[in-house]
Amino acid sequence: MAIRFPSVLHAKQILRQLQLLANQAAAASVSRDVPKGYLAVYVGERSQKKRFIIPVSFLSQPPFQEMLSKAEEEFGYNHPMGGLTIPCREDIFINLTSGLNGS
């Protein structure tokens, strides 16, 4: 008998949805400039969004999962930019991903 924690289940649901989005993006012609094993995300607040290409491995990192939860709260799974949109300041995103690259 396994004990399941709601936050773990929620993170798994987000990861499944993101994997589906990544697979759809891989099939789309727009994603030809994204290398295999990476995905495009849009980062920024309001209309000031910048596109970043990140490794898929970031999706399993707890700090990145927190950002994904915030993205889900704000956008659900309907992202206005057509890709994954993360509602945070660009400098915060860069600091977070720089730390993930170093680990």
Side-chain angles (χ1 to χ4, degrees):
M1 180 176 178
I3 298 174
R4 297 201 176 235
F5 297 98
S7 61
V8 172
L9 292 175
H10 186 67
K12 286 182 179 182
Q13 179 187 14
I14 290 172
L15 289 173
R16 273 190 234 114
Q17 289 291 334
L18 287 172
Q19 185 176 21
L20 177 63
L21 283 172
N23 289 341
Q24 289 173 348
S29 62
V30 176
S31 68
R32 289 186 183 157
D33 62 331
V34 179
K36 186 174 182 172
Y38 290 79
L39 75 141
V41 296
Y42 297 89
V43 177
E45 298 173 320
R46 303 186 190 208
S47 63
Q48 302 294 325
K49 300 213 182 334
K50 185 172 178 183
R51 186 174 188 241
F52 290 87
I53 307 297
I54 62 165
V56 174
S57 62
F58 282 8
L59 298 176
S60 64
Q61 300 297 320
F64 201 81
Q65 287 179 1
E66 284 183 43
M67 285 188 157
L68 295 177
S69 292
K70 290 178 184 175
E72 182 195 14
E73 288 172 15
E74 186 162 330
F75 299 110
Y77 295 111
N78 182 21
H79 294 269
M81 300 290 289
L84 178 61
T85 305
I86 299 177
C88 78
R89 291 188 349 233
E90 189 178 324
D91 60 327
I92 292 172
F93 181 80
I94 291 170
N95 286 337
L96 175 93
T97 55
S98 296
L100 294 176
N101 279 329
S103 43

